[in-house]
């Protein structure tokens, strides 16, 4: 059936002279960061650099001792919630964020049964095309279709078909391993990685705010020392989240910042450390080696660290996000995934594709701009919100 679908798409493209490109090409490859030209050295101990000691949360209006350069402010956790979302629960936010994907799946599945009562071969082919369009991936779609074909006798309408789809999708999520537990000793160190533009800095800021609200003492290490204004941006998030903050000078050794961040966290009794890292292309070997160096340096200071390697992916890049996850996992051993910008795409099926292809827990999903819109991934709620 997949072959028929691709032939059908090819014929349509020929007739209409379509000029559109696949999603992953349209999204474009991220730009290589300034680290591309940096030589990689691994000293026995991190190099010296200017360190701003972690500070206690400041009152509104006070400034952290950061560079005076003007930067674009990060979204404020207190003020960035859209008016229509204020007061709504987590499930309502999730459902709203997945509205584009749900519109495709729900409306088109209902349309499949117009004038029909039984599931036939034509309907199965249309459903297959629908799932691929939602970016569930060819292999995942074929697996789902094979199981649905075996259950067609119990499908008498759109409602029953949606129920079967929910069962099959949920099965992928339930097969995933449990997320890494929090470290028994302090601090719990989370190294956050990903390519440029996926929302690493924003994700760290939101996670820091979540942890602070639950009474945890948080520290952020600004190990993205090469991107312009990266340190200033994460400093704003740290201040708003009430988190301690460690930085070096611009273009300092990122591994040294990570080392000093954990060192400061140990001395201050910090509960959790988030290590921000520079964005890098997953296909550039020298840049991946640089992030491995950060990982090794963390282990030198705290043998169990990093306790988590959190990979941030952009849902709008579609199947390209899957290839990024595979490369980062091979290099670093990713322990969890945060999938952002699900509210900006109609291809929410990428969540199913990632979970079915990789044995990595999906920890967080982003369905909006506010702090509350970065949610811990709940498989059952996600599936209910999808249909």
């Amino acid at each position: 059936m997949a072959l028929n679908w691709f032939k059908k798409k090819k014929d349509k493209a020929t007739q209409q002279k379509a000029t559109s490109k696949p999603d992953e090409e349209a999204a474009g490859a991220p730009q290589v960061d300034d680290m591309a030209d940096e030589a990689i050295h691994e000293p026995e101990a991190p190099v010296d650099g200017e360190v701003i000691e972690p500070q206690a949360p400041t009152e509104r209006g006070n400034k952290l001792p950061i560079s005076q350069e003007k930067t674009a402010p990060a979204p404020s956790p207190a003020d960035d919630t859209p008016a229509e979302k204020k007061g709504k629960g987590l499930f309502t936010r999730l459902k709203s964020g997945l509205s584009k994907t749900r519109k495709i799946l729900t409306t088109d599945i209902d349309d499949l049964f117009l004038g029909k009562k039984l599931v036939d071969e034509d309907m199965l082919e249309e459903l297959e095309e629908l799932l691929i369009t939602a970016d569930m991936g060819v292999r995942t779609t074929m697996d789902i279709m094979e199981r649905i074909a075996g259950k067609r006798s119990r499908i008498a309408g759109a409602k029953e078909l949606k129920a079967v789809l929910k069962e099959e999708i949920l099965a992928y999520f339930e097969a995933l391993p449990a997320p890494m537990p929090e470290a028994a000793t302090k601090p719990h160190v989370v190294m956050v990685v990903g390519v440029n533009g996926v929302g690493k800095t924003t994700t760290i800021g939101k996670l820091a705010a979540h942890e602070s609200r639950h009474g945890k003492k948080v520290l952020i290490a600004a190990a993205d020392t090469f991107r312009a204004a990266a340190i200033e941006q994460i400093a704003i998030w740290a201040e708003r989240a009430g988190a301690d903050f460690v930085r070096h000078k611009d273009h300092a050794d990122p591994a040294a910042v990570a080392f000093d961040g954990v060192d400061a966290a140990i001395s201050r009794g910090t509960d959790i450390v988030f290590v921000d890292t520079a964005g890098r292309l997953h296909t550039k070997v020298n840049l991946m080696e640089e992030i491995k160096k950060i990982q090794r340096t963390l282990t030198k200071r705290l043998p169990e660290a990093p306790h988590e390697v959190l990979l941030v992916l952009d849902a709008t890049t579609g199947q390209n996000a899957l290839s990024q996850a595979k490369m980062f996992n091979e290099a670093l051993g990713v322990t969890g995934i945060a999938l952002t910008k699900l509210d900006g795409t109609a291809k929410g099926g990428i969540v199913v594709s990632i979970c079915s292809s990789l044995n990595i827990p999906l920890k967080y999903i982003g369905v909006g701009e506010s702090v509350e819109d970065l949610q811990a991934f709940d498989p059952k709620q996600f599936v209910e919100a999808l249909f």
Side-chain angles (χ1 to χ4, degrees), residues 318-333:
Q319 291 296 309
N320 190 38
L322 184 58
S323 65
Q324 292 171 24
K326 290 178 178 177
M327 295 293 289
F328 274 98
N329 189 40
E330 290 174 4
L332 302 170

Side-chain angles (χ1 to χ4, degrees), residues 287-330:
L287 299 182
M288 294 303 288
E289 287 299 322
E290 181 69 35
I291 203 167
K292 289 180 184 178
K293 175 186 172 184
I294 298 175
Q295 189 177 38
R296 291 192 297 268
T297 302
L298 289 170
T299 305
K300 286 180 181 179
R301 183 60 187 90
L302 189 64
E304 303 85 7
H307 303 95
E308 291 186 56
V309 178
L310 182 66
L311 173 62
V312 182
L313 298 173
D314 181 348
T316 64
T317 60
Q319 291 296 309
N320 190 38
L322 184 58
S323 65
Q324 292 171 24
K326 290 178 178 177
M327 295 293 289
F328 274 98
N329 189 40
E330 290 174 4

Side-chain angles (χ1 to χ4, degrees), residues 153-180:
S153 60
R154 55 181 273 199
I155 301 175
K159 183 177 180 180
E160 289 80 4
L161 178 55
K162 292 174 187 177
V164 172
L165 277 172
K166 288 179 181 179
E167 290 176 9
E168 298 302 332
I169 293 173
L170 191 59
Y172 285 114
F173 298 143
E174 292 176 342
L176 292 174
M180 294 291 293

Side-chain angles (χ1 to χ4, degrees), residues 66-129:
I66 60 176
S67 156
Q68 298 301 313
E69 297 178 13
K70 293 184 179 180
T71 59
S76 169
D79 302 320
D80 62 359
T81 306
E84 65 271 16
K85 286 190 175 183
K86 289 184 178 179
K88 292 187 177 181
L90 291 179
F91 180 73
T92 303
R93 290 175 178 274
L94 176 61
K95 197 168 183 178
S96 175
L98 293 172
S99 60
K100 293 183 180 179
T101 302
R102 186 175 62 256
K103 183 177 180 181
I104 288 180
L105 291 176
T106 301
T107 303
D108 289 2
I109 287 175
D110 290 339
D111 290 346
L112 291 179
F113 284 90
L114 292 177
K116 295 182 181 180
K117 293 184 178 180
L118 299 177
V119 177
D120 54 21
E121 290 299 324
D122 289 340
M123 184 182 294
L124 288 176
E125 284 195 12
E126 291 181 44
L127 178 60
E128 181 181 281
E129 179 177 353

Side-chain angles (χ1 to χ4, degrees), residues 1-7 128 132 138 142:
M1 286 186 284
L3 180 60
N4 293 337
W5 181 80
F6 282 116
K7 291 173 65 179
E128 181 181 281
I132 292 175
V138 175
M142 294 302 294

Side-chain angles (χ1 to χ4, degrees), residues 11-251:
D11 293 339
K12 290 180 180 178
T14 302
Q15 295 171 5
Q16 299 175 5
K17 297 182 180 180
T19 57
S20 62
K21 298 182 179 180
D23 289 342
E24 54 266 40
E25 294 180 4
Q31 296 297 317
V32 180
D33 57 40
D34 294 333
M35 295 175 67
D37 298 327
E38 293 294 319
I40 299 173
H41 303 289
E42 186 173 0
E44 290 298 321
V47 298
D48 292 333
E50 181 186 1
V51 181
I52 294 181
E53 292 295 331
Q55 301 185 8
T58 59
E59 296 181 0
R60 185 177 297 273
N62 293 339
K63 295 183 179 179
L64 289 173
I66 60 176
S67 156
Q68 298 301 313
E69 297 178 13
K70 293 184 179 180
T71 59
S76 169
D79 302 320
D80 62 359
T81 306
E84 65 271 16
K85 286 190 175 183
K86 289 184 178 179
K88 292 187 177 181
L90 291 179
F91 180 73
T92 303
R93 290 175 178 274
L94 176 61
K95 197 168 183 178
S96 175
L98 293 172
S99 60
K100 293 183 180 179
T101 302
R102 186 175 62 256
K103 183 177 180 181
I104 288 180
L105 291 176
T106 301
T107 303
D108 289 2
I109 287 175
D110 290 339
D111 290 346
L112 291 179
F113 284 90
L114 292 177
K116 295 182 181 180
K117 293 184 178 180
L118 299 177
V119 177
D120 54 21
E121 290 299 324
D122 289 340
M123 184 182 294
L124 288 176
E125 284 195 12
E126 291 181 44
L127 178 60
E128 181 181 281
E129 179 177 353
L130 175 61
L131 296 181
I132 292 175
T133 301
D135 226 350
M136 288 192 184
V138 175
R139 191 179 74 176
T140 304
T141 297
M142 294 302 294
D143 289 342
I144 292 176
M145 293 306 302
E146 184 177 346
R147 289 193 286 271
I148 288 179
K151 299 178 180 179
R152 65 166 71 184
S153 60
R154 55 181 273 199
I155 301 175
K159 183 177 180 180
E160 289 80 4
L161 178 55
K162 292 174 187 177
V164 172
L165 277 172
K166 288 179 181 179
E167 290 176 9
E168 298 302 332
I169 293 173
L170 191 59
Y172 285 114
F173 298 143
E174 292 176 342
L176 292 174
M180 294 291 293
E182 191 167 321
T185 57
K186 298 179 182 180
H188 182 78
V189 181
V190 182
M191 185 169 74
V192 184
V193 301
V195 302
N196 286 320
V198 296
K200 289 189 306 301
T201 301
T202 302
T203 298
I204 290 173
K206 292 177 179 180
L207 290 176
H210 277 299
E211 296 295 340
S212 293
R213 290 176 182 179
H214 286 84
K216 297 289 184 68
K217 188 173 182 180
V218 182
L219 183 144
I220 298 175
D224 181 358
T225 61
F226 289 86
R227 181 170 64 87
I231 295 175
E232 285 76 10
Q233 185 182 9
I234 195 68
I236 293 171
W237 273 110
E239 182 180 20
R240 290 172 175 169
D244 292 341
F245 184 66
V246 171
R247 61 165 288 177
H248 282 201
K249 294 179 180 179
D250 290 343
H251 305 294

